[in-house]
Amino acid sequence: MPVSLQNHGDIAVITVDNPPVNALSQAVRNGLVSCTQEALADDAVTAIVLIGAGRTFIAGADIREFNLPSAQPTLNDAISTFEASSKPVVCAIHGTALGGGLETALGCHYRVAVAGAMVGLPEVKLGLLPGAGGTQRLPRLVGVEKAMKLISSGDFLAADKALDAGIIDHIVDGDLTAGAMAFARQLVADGAPLKRVRDLQAALPEGRSAADLAAAEMKAIARRTRGQPAPQKCLESVANAVTMDFDAALQREREIFEELKAGPESQGLRHAFFAERAAGKVPGVSKDTATREIKKVAIIGAGTMGGGIAMNFANVGIPVTLIETAQDALDRGLAIVTKNYTATVSKGRLSREKMDQRMAMFSGAVELSAAADADMVIEAVFENMALKKEIFSKLDAICKPGAILASNTSTLDVDEIAAVTKRPQDVIGTHFFSPANVMKLLEIVRGEKTAADVLNTTMKIAKKIAKVPVVVGVCDGFVGNRMLHAYTRQAGFLLEDGALPQDVDRVIYDFGMPMGPFTMGDMAGLDVGYRVRQERGRPAANYRYSEIADKVVEMGRHGQKTGAGWYKYVAGDRTPHPDPEIEELILASAAAAGVTRHDFSDDAILQRCMFALINEGAKILAEGKAYRASDIDVIYTNGYGFPSFRGGPMNYADQVGLETVYQAVKEMFDGGDEWMDPAPLLARLATEGKTFADWDAENN
Ligand SMILES: NC(=O)c1ccc[n+]([C@@H]2O[C@H](COP(=O)([O-])OP(=O)(O)OC[C@H]3O[C@@H](n4cnc5c(N)ncnc54)[C@H](O)[C@@H]3O)[C@@H](O)[C@H]2O)c1
């Protein structure tokens, strides 16, 4: 039984035991109601304690049930059973009381918690609002202003902060059940009132109205939450706690919940949530797959990437050796690491002591032989195949047997690198994103011969260093950058065809990306892509090529770092300013290329960029370079700032409809753009009326 009742003389203890996190499934809701009724009917019982078994209190609703029609009893039914109880109900919290878990706790008359407990209403992160009284009861305990902030951000509070805010009444030292029972007995002995939160008044700061507060909060979060209805709805519902009667506001809250749940933003966020979990499952790797122990790591190259990669390991207490070619390069690399930590300390996000502990994890060397005792070596030298091969063949001779040899290459063939060693099974790609100490995404490149335990170990260590790992196959640019090239290429063509950088960037920003492709290019530096294009040479003649990007670099405009790129910049300011010189260049280049420019609607701009991304994603999927469409979504939401509320590019395609995407791609291709040859998988799914989610379900 997921919920059970034990009588300890005068106190009834109701325990929720629904591993792993005591989610509020229908069976749990049922059990909560029936156990409470049983305890109420027992004359020997004077008070009730509600507690979770295992590692946590109720950590939330059962999200899988969100896609089903709601089943009785609802959570509101269960909660009102506690609230209406004639005997005091004390909720005992350890681990986390989140979402429906905290709403359940708020329905109890009193709440106690262990010092390490956390509480929160994170529904907004799934595009929802707390739909079982959270927006009504929380403001009655903590005041309207604080409730608005907590609910619209979804932030958690630690037990001490929750105590200060009035969410919990007491912190228990020692055994929680015993502490909660003692607290309940004391209530009975004192004849304490049944504190029904619904009967309290939601407090407003002097002279402020709920509408005022909601408007001010909305203004504060508008930029971060653009395109998402949930934060605004959270504020609106909290405001109802002041202006409406409790039951009417509760009903309204439920209606808003249902509206949000049915909307595309919540669907996208829920998809993103499940996609991240699914990405952890890798074909050929199971619970029984062995892992190798990683106690010491070496990083080759302390440049832009190497230092940041090393920080990830130092942060979790794994000793890491940075290896460079010369002392000055090593010193420069270590100085950047020190500077990064110092900046975090000065922002108050890291203690000096912790920084010292982390720095103590670092050692440096100018000899590759320093990698001899490392359990994992990550190579992050220049992107040059000959150099990487040279390093890997040396590592093969130097490293101890069983060491994992990883390359941080962003484009090169990991199999070709592995082939220079006598241990290709130990070679893998770990594609970190810049800045490597900050960005969550890690593309793990599975080589043809990479052993299952090497892959498993790399996945595990990635999670340990707080990355979101996604396994991809060997191909040019792997998944993320390969798709990005298709996207930026179309953005470039749009300039020749009639748009300006600021038009494209505005549309992409409004879609929810942190910035458009031209602002992004200026930030990253335009010279990098230029050099790659020069090295690779022009594509075949039937493939379109726009010279504009090359000309921008040849004008000395390398992006923000040179004060000008696609935009111009004022010294010390990163704001891009449109530049008439660029417009002139675009017009002249279009004329020289014989292209007649025309106006583009915002929709046409969006389609051109996004559908290129999606079409390439479909090719990657069919080639088996990603295991799931949802893996591609994880890559984009975690590595490229793709808005989570759209779920990722492949989920967005499903939302738009694959038939629409396919027709638009086909039209571009038929119009003469060879780059846009429709992915056969996209064509097939569109014809069959299916989605990428269907493909995932059929193939995993
Ligand atoms: N910069 C990015 O945004 C980014 C993102 C993902 C992946 N990558 C990849 O990471 C790798 C490193 O890129 P980066 O931007 O850090 O380059 P970088 O030029 O900033 O740093 C490379 C470092 O490697 C050192 N080095 C060169 N040869 C060496 C050798 N034989 N032994 C030891 N050290 C040596 C250099 O002195 C230099 O400090 C490349 O493969 C690149 O494609 C870069």
Side-chain angles (χ1 to χ4, degrees):
M1 287 300 280
V3 185
S4 60
L5 176 74
Q6 297 96 27
N7 281 346
H8 296 259
D10 51 341
I11 308 287
V13 176
I14 298 176
T15 305
V16 179
D17 188 5
N18 184 29
V21 295
N22 294 328
L24 284 158
S25 64
Q26 188 196 8
V28 169
R29 300 194 301 268
N30 240 328
L32 288 175
V33 172
S34 59
C35 288
T36 311
Q37 285 165 346
E38 204 180 320
L40 287 175
D42 185 341
D43 288 340
V45 170
T46 59
I48 300 169
V49 166
L50 171 65
I51 194 166
R55 59 182 157 98
T56 181
F57 185 66
I58 299 166
D62 190 337
I63 304 172
R64 284 164 305 181
E65 284 188 7
F66 281 11
N67 295 331
L68 309 169
S70 44
Q72 304 291 326
T74 66
L75 185 53
N76 270 328
D77 296 336
I79 291 170
S80 46
T81 320
F82 293 125
E83 198 163 50
S85 157
S86 53
K87 302 175 185 177
V89 183
V90 175
C91 182
I93 301 170
H94 72 300
T96 51
L98 300 180
L102 180 56
E103 289 179 301
T104 303
L106 296 177
C108 299
H109 304 125
Y110 294 90
R111 286 151 296 280
V112 301
V114 296
M118 303 277 279
V119 303
L121 293 172
E123 284 85 347
V124 71
K125 294 183 179 168
L126 293 178
L128 301 166
L129 87 174
T135 67
Q136 300 311 303
R137 289 191 182 88
L138 192 65
R140 285 173 161 81
L141 278 182
V142 306
V144 174
E145 192 170 22
K146 190 158 191 96
M148 281 184 173
K149 284 197 194 306
L150 282 171
I151 295 175
S152 66
S153 68
D155 286 348
F156 298 172
L157 285 184
D160 56 340
K161 296 270 175 348
L163 181 72
D164 292 345
I167 298 174
I168 58 175
D169 303 287
H170 174 66
I171 292 188
V172 172
D173 286 330
D175 184 69
L176 179 60
T177 312
M181 282 175 31
F183 186 86
R185 281 203 180 98
Q186 194 61 47
L187 291 174
V188 175
D190 295 348
L194 298 175
K195 203 167 111 192
R196 296 192 170 103
V197 178
R198 60 172 285 148
D199 296 336
L200 307 176
Q201 199 74 39
L204 285 168
E206 188 70 33
R208 306 287 300 272
S209 73
D212 257 12
L213 292 174
E217 190 59 26
M218 196 57 226
K219 205 167 152 215
I221 62 174
R223 189 184 155 91
R224 181 170 54 77
T225 63
R226 66 188 192 279
Q228 302 183 57
Q232 163 119 41
K233 292 288 179 190
C234 288
L235 298 173
E236 189 184 307
S237 190
V238 173
N240 290 343
V242 180
T243 55
M244 288 168 81
D245 147 80
F246 183 87
D247 288 313
L250 197 65
Q251 195 185 336
R252 180 68 197 126
E253 179 195 78
R254 195 67 217 170
E255 286 163 10
I256 301 174
F257 179 88
E258 294 297 337
E259 282 162 28
L260 288 172
K261 192 176 83 171
E265 295 83 5
S266 176
Q267 185 278 332
L269 286 161
R270 281 180 278 144
H271 170 84
F273 177 84
F274 286 115
E276 215 171 294
R277 287 189 179 184
K281 294 184 207 109
V282 180
V285 174
S286 71
K287 277 209 295 286
D288 306 325
T289 305
T291 51
R292 300 184 186 180
E293 219 181 344
I294 307 293
K295 288 202 291 208
K296 201 165 187 301
V297 172
I299 313 284
I300 321 286
T304 309
M305 295 305 286
I309 295 172
M311 287 172 73
N312 292 306
F313 292 96
N315 292 350
V316 296
I318 298 178
V320 57
T321 306
L322 271 177
I323 304 178
E324 262 289 348
T325 42
Q327 192 62 42
D328 60 338
L330 180 63
D331 292 344
R332 261 198 314 276
L334 283 167
I336 293 173
V337 169
T338 312
K339 195 174 123 213
N340 283 340
Y341 280 131
T342 310
T344 317
V345 170
S346 64
K347 283 181 203 145
R349 287 199 265 121
L350 185 73
S351 69
R352 187 77 219 182
E353 191 192 349
K354 279 241 167 67
M355 170 177 166
D356 293 344
Q357 282 167 8
R358 291 177 186 190
M359 283 308 296
M361 291 293 129
F362 279 86
S363 54
V366 290
E367 290 294 335
L368 219 48
S369 57
D373 61 345
D375 303 301
M376 182 174 200
V377 181
I378 302 177
E379 166 278 310
V381 303
F382 307 128
E383 186 75 339
N384 177 298
M385 184 52 109
L387 176 62
K388 303 224 180 216
K389 280 184 173 172
E390 183 195 322
I391 288 181
F392 271 76
S393 68
K394 284 185 182 160
L395 287 174
D396 192 21
I398 291 169
C399 293
K400 65 182 186 189
I404 293 178
L405 308 182
S407 172
N408 187 51
T409 177
S410 38
T411 50
L412 301 174
D413 184 337
V414 173
D415 292 328
E416 201 180 323
I417 297 173
V420 302
T421 71
K422 286 191 271 319
R423 37 174 134 174
Q425 74 282 358
D426 295 342
V427 177
I428 194 164
T430 48
H431 185 210
F432 286 84
F433 287 71
S434 182
N437 53 320
V438 176
M439 294 296 289
K440 289 274 199 212
L441 178 64
L442 179 62
E443 281 185 334
I444 294 185
V445 189
R446 182 179 200 163
E448 200 190 336
K449 298 197 173 144
T450 305
D453 66 335
V454 169
L455 191 57
N456 196 23
T457 307
T458 310
M459 289 292 283
K460 292 241 157 71
I461 197 86
K463 286 187 185 151
K464 182 160 186 189
I465 61 172
K467 298 293 166 192
V468 177
V470 182
V471 177
V472 301
V474 174
C475 61
D476 189 14
F478 309 120
V479 171
N481 285 343
R482 176 172 158 185
M483 288 168 67
L484 192 74
H485 288 154
Y487 158 91
T488 41
R489 186 186 294 120
Q490 289 303 324
F493 294 160
L494 273 168
L495 301 185
E496 219 162 56
D497 290 343
L500 291 173
Q502 54 269 32
D503 300 327
V504 179
D505 283 354
R506 176 181 45 79
V507 170
I508 297 298
Y509 176 82
D510 288 347
F511 176 76
M513 304 280 283
M515 65 188 90
F518 299 105
T519 311
M520 186 175 75
D522 275 0
M523 215 175 94
L526 303 175
D527 49 324
V528 186
Y530 178 81
R531 271 201 306 277
V532 174
R533 288 194 297 277
Q534 298 301 311
E535 273 169 32
R536 294 192 174 187
R538 292 286 178 96
N542 54 331
Y543 284 87
R544 185 175 176 187
Y545 188 86
S546 164
E547 293 180 353
I548 302 176
D550 295 339
K551 287 186 180 151
V552 172
V553 175
E554 283 159 10
M555 287 160 81
R557 306 176 66 123
H558 293 188
Q560 276 185 25
K561 60 187 171 190
T562 58
W566 290 108
Y567 298 95
K568 59 183 173 192
Y569 299 86
V570 180
D573 185 358
R574 290 163 183 268
T575 316
H577 299 283
D579 190 346
E581 211 178 302
I582 287 291
E583 186 169 351
E584 256 170 53
L585 169 74
I586 291 170
L587 296 182
S589 300
V595 178
T596 314
R597 285 165 55 83
H598 63 90
D599 285 343
F600 280 90
S601 69
D602 287 1
D603 236 24
I605 290 175
L606 185 68
Q607 287 206 354
R608 185 92 170 254
C609 297
M610 286 301 152
F611 292 2
L613 197 65
I614 294 159
N615 192 47
E616 196 63 32
K619 290 180 189 172
I620 285 170
L621 204 53
E623 289 169 26
K625 303 300 179 191
Y627 291 123
R628 307 168 190 88
S630 67
D631 283 4
I632 297 177
D633 288 336
V634 175
I635 288 173
Y636 262 78
T637 51
N638 287 284
Y640 296 83
F642 198 96
S644 299
F645 68 86
R646 300 193 190 274
M650 308 312 271
N651 185 69
Y652 171 66
D654 282 352
Q655 288 187 341
V656 171
L658 296 192
E659 177 62 18
T660 305
V661 178
Y662 170 63
Q663 288 304 338
V665 169
K666 189 168 176 306
E667 208 174 291
M668 289 182 236
F669 178 66
D670 291 344
D673 186 350
E674 291 279 336
W675 296 108
M676 292 302 291
D677 57 323
L681 176 63
L682 174 64
R684 177 168 70 76
L685 293 174
T687 314
E688 291 172 359
K690 289 188 174 161
T691 60
F692 287 122
D694 293 332
W695 189 91
D696 279 359
E698 285 165 18
N699 290 278
N700 284 284

